């Protein structure tokens, strides 16, 4: 029973936020523009901030995903390297590597800003997912 309660307490907030996104769109507090902008914000700002925390692991994961996604397309090397060099997640991971490897302390204000942005990732993404859902026939 304890495991069931733990699972519910872990998963329920995710669904609550998605349902909140659905509700907010239904009452027109958010719209398709919000969904598009929040998605871009998550991909280009908040996930890179989150990536800053564990750069090497994230960089290798992103490279593997990009490589897998570009498999089977013509011009694989060009598209792979273009996507790799323009991907905000990759750029954030590369930028953060020296800080990690050389144990460079960043100023507390900047570190706190990065943490705040990283904390936005999950709720903003889930609201956008809920806002993007449509149950119209």
């Amino acid at each position: 029973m304890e495991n069931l309660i733990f699972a519910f307490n872990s998963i329920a907030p995710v669904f609550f936020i998605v349902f909140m996104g659905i509700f907010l769109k239904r009452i027109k507090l958010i719209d398709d523009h919000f969904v598009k902008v929040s998605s871009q914000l998550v991909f280009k700002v908040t996930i890179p901030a989150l990536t800053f925390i564990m750069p090497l692991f994230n960089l290798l994961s992103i490279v593997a995903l990009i490589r897998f996604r570009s498999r089977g397309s013509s011009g694989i090397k060009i598209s792979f390297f273009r996507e790799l060099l323009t991907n905000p997640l990759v750029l954030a991971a590369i930028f953060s590597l020296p800080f990690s490897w050389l144990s460079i302390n960043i100023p507390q204000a900047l570190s706190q800003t990065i943490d705040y942005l990283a904390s936005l990732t999950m709720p903003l993404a889930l609201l956008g997912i809920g806002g993007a859902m449509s149950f119209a026939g």
Side-chain angles (χ1 to χ4, degrees), residues 3-24:
N3 289 339
L4 184 62
I5 293 171
F6 176 78
F8 175 79
N9 287 334
S10 298
I11 296 170
V14 171
F15 286 100
F16 291 156
I17 296 173
V18 169
F19 290 136
M20 180 180 286
I22 294 168
F23 174 73
L24 293 175

Side-chain angles (χ1 to χ4, degrees), residues 5 12 19 27 31 59-60 74 96 100 102-104 108 121 136:
I5 293 171
F19 290 136
I27 65 169
D31 57 12
L59 180 61
L60 295 175
S74 60
S96 62
S100 177
L102 301 174
S103 299
I104 298 171
Q108 177 64 29
T121 304

